[in-house]
Amino acid sequence: MHISPCTYGNILLSRASLVRLTTCHPSFYLKNLLRIASSPEAFPGLTHRREATSGYSTLTENMNAIKNTLAENIGGKFQNIGTHQFSLDQVPDLTGKVAVVTGGSEGIGFGCTHTLLKHNIGKVYILSVSEEEGAKDAIAKQLGQQAADKTRWIRCDLSDWWKVKDVAEEISKESDRLDILINNAGRGIMTYQLTDYGVDRHMAVNHMGHAILTSHLLPLMKQTAEKGNIVRITNQASNAHQAAPSDTKFESLEELNRDLGANAQYGRSKLANILYARYFTEKVTKAGYPKLLMNATHPGFVSTKMSKEDIFEPFPLGGYAMAVGMEPFKKDQFEGAVSAMFASTYTEKSGQYICPPAVPESGSKLSQDKVLADNLMKLTWKIVTEKTNDGVGSCLLLNN
């Protein structure tokens, strides 16, 4: 599930406060928007706009912040008021291209898969723990059997790092190109749990599994880029990254394995998704591969299994407010795929954090910390190499 903090001009409504939507009346979100937007404390420029001409620019900035907050997080017509517009109809023709989508058979992932096929992509590899036959049937019914036949499902549990490596190698042997990689699958806001490797499941799946997949597909993507094609990698992050603890250092496994609570556990893994995009841009895009891009995205409030069912795991009672009460305000799976589609098929920039429809946001202070990004990837390499006896993680640092 992806829940956003709200930035209204100079005010940031923290991720932690929004998570309390699970225990509050669903109208809390919209009431806070109106309350904060109308308060002079939120926009001091409104109070003094007659005293300085700069107040007018401040007013404009504050109004744009409100518009973007709504566009980024709520479904329906609200998406049309964002300052940076993009729609799924603007996805270019993808004839001959190849894509990999993790979690591509349900939720936002299905929205991505469906959109890629609708725009004539040559092949889509769908990686997930279990096959969703209904997804392929839906594609055949809506887009035709020929489109459905362009998909290939491969079982892949991102917490099983050896399997992730094997899947990447299987794809690399089978395909002579890879234009799009959408790292979408993940563990949502759920309670603390360790994998069989003895690593926090949120970090092991949401970040490390995708970093392993990306690293082992990287030679194929470099080969594709070297032929003059733009290759795009998208990490599905979230404004929930604001929930990561302020003392996050990424210095040890012991730090990762602290039980922070469902919100912070998830938020830290989303922070890692953004940092990885910044790190990759420095180590790959700016180091000889300008056509190989990686960005992170936020999808907004989206109606998915995570927000309708999984939310009850950490919040057995409060989950009803999010699962039922907030449902009218959520985006559908296609609306939730818009920012990912912009990052995966359209943008020519790298290292950005993109919110719907196509709004580049700075993200939290931690998400902009280059030292923290380096620490993250050094720790990722250390943990993966130790847990797999150096069989999986040797290429994670991207030093060349």
Side-chain angles (χ1 to χ4, degrees), residues 48-195:
H48 305 292
R49 63 182 179 274
R50 292 186 181 140
E51 298 178 18
T53 56
S54 61
Y56 290 105
S57 62
T58 302
L59 172 60
T60 300
E61 291 173 2
N62 290 336
M63 293 308 297
N64 284 340
I66 293 176
K67 289 179 181 180
N68 284 336
T69 295
L70 290 168
E72 291 170 10
N73 295 292
I74 301 177
K77 294 182 179 179
F78 283 109
Q79 297 176 104
N80 300 328
I81 65 175
T83 57
H84 296 67
Q85 285 297 306
F86 181 79
S87 73
L88 296 183
D89 291 336
Q90 291 177 263
V91 172
D93 181 74
L94 302 172
T95 299
K97 296 185 182 296
V98 176
V100 171
V101 184
T102 67
S105 58
E106 64 175 330
I108 298 169
F110 177 79
C112 293
T113 297
H114 187 283
T115 302
L116 293 172
L117 291 167
K118 185 177 180 179
H119 290 267
N120 305 315
I121 198 159
K123 187 162 193 134
V124 181
Y125 290 92
I126 299 173
L127 312 186
S128 61
V129 176
S130 58
E131 185 172 13
E132 295 286 341
E133 289 292 344
K136 192 164 187 175
D137 291 342
I139 290 170
K141 183 177 180 179
Q142 296 168 22
L143 301 178
Q145 189 60 47
Q146 185 176 4
D149 290 342
K150 293 179 180 179
T151 64
R152 169 146 141 66
W153 175 75
I154 303 178
R155 185 184 301 279
C156 183
D157 180 350
L158 290 165
S159 71
D160 182 347
W161 296 336
W162 278 104
K163 178 62 176 178
V164 174
K165 175 178 180 289
D166 290 343
V167 167
E169 291 177 348
E170 180 179 349
I171 293 171
S172 297
K173 290 177 182 177
E174 185 175 301
S175 181
D176 62 356
R177 67 184 298 159
L178 179 57
D179 304 87
I180 297 169
L181 170 59
I182 304 178
N183 292 322
N184 167 76
R187 180 175 176 81
I189 297 178
M190 302 180 77
T191 53
Y192 171 75
Q193 188 180 102
L194 297 179
T195 67

Side-chain angles (χ1 to χ4, degrees), residues 95-386:
T95 299
K97 296 185 182 296
V98 176
V100 171
V101 184
T102 67
S105 58
E106 64 175 330
I108 298 169
F110 177 79
C112 293
T113 297
H114 187 283
T115 302
L116 293 172
L117 291 167
K118 185 177 180 179
H119 290 267
N120 305 315
I121 198 159
K123 187 162 193 134
V124 181
Y125 290 92
I126 299 173
L127 312 186
S128 61
V129 176
S130 58
E131 185 172 13
E132 295 286 341
E133 289 292 344
K136 192 164 187 175
D137 291 342
I139 290 170
K141 183 177 180 179
Q142 296 168 22
L143 301 178
Q145 189 60 47
Q146 185 176 4
D149 290 342
K150 293 179 180 179
T151 64
R152 169 146 141 66
W153 175 75
I154 303 178
R155 185 184 301 279
C156 183
D157 180 350
L158 290 165
S159 71
D160 182 347
W161 296 336
W162 278 104
K163 178 62 176 178
V164 174
K165 175 178 180 289
D166 290 343
V167 167
E169 291 177 348
E170 180 179 349
I171 293 171
S172 297
K173 290 177 182 177
E174 185 175 301
S175 181
D176 62 356
R177 67 184 298 159
L178 179 57
D179 304 87
I180 297 169
L181 170 59
I182 304 178
N183 292 322
N184 167 76
R187 180 175 176 81
I189 297 178
M190 302 180 77
T191 53
Y192 171 75
Q193 188 180 102
L194 297 179
T195 67
D196 291 342
Y197 291 113
V199 179
D200 167 58
R201 185 169 293 277
H202 281 93
M203 286 295 295
V205 172
N206 296 2
H207 166 63
M208 294 180 184
H210 280 126
I212 293 166
L213 178 68
T214 301
S215 297
H216 287 278
L217 287 173
L218 190 55
L220 179 59
M221 290 188 285
K222 284 183 174 179
Q223 176 184 313
T224 305
E226 286 168 350
K227 294 178 181 178
N229 305 288
I230 296 180
V231 176
R232 298 176 174 92
I233 305 166
T234 300
N235 299 335
Q236 192 69 276
S238 170
N239 276 357
H241 77 276
Q242 304 272 7
S246 59
D247 63 347
T248 299
K249 303 295 184 185
F250 293 123
E251 290 181 339
S252 68
L253 178 59
E254 290 71 29
E255 177 193 341
L256 292 192
N257 284 350
R258 291 182 297 165
D259 185 352
L260 305 171
N263 297 320
Q265 219 81 32
Y266 176 72
R268 184 178 60 183
S269 71
K270 298 291 99 178
L271 169 65
N273 293 151
I274 301 174
L275 289 172
Y276 184 34
R278 316 272 207 212
Y279 175 91
F280 185 96
T281 298
E282 294 296 322
K283 300 294 184 179
V284 178
T285 310
K286 294 181 179 180
Y289 288 88
K291 290 184 176 293
L292 219 174
L293 317 177
M294 180 186 284
N295 292 287
T297 55
H298 165 64
F301 283 98
V302 185
S303 180
T304 64
K305 177 177 176 291
M306 288 184 184
S307 69
K308 293 191 294 186
E309 299 178 21
D310 295 348
I311 191 64
F312 290 104
E313 192 263 351
F315 303 111
L317 296 178
Y320 282 98
M322 179 55 64
V324 180
M326 289 302 299
E327 191 65 20
F329 305 113
K330 296 176 187 175
K331 298 173 185 256
D332 63 31
Q333 59 193 347
F334 295 104
E335 292 172 328
V338 171
S339 57
M341 283 295 93
F342 174 78
S344 301
T345 69
Y346 202 87
T347 188
E348 295 186 0
K349 297 182 179 180
S350 188
Q352 290 192 322
Y353 176 50
I354 302 168
C355 296
V359 182
E361 298 279 14
S362 58
S364 69
K365 184 177 180 180
L366 288 177
S367 75
Q368 302 171 57
D369 190 329
K370 291 185 178 181
V371 173
L372 191 62
D374 286 341
N375 287 350
L376 167 69
M377 294 312 298
K378 289 175 183 176
L379 181 60
T380 300
W381 171 82
K382 182 176 185 294
I383 291 173
V384 175
T385 53
E386 288 179 356

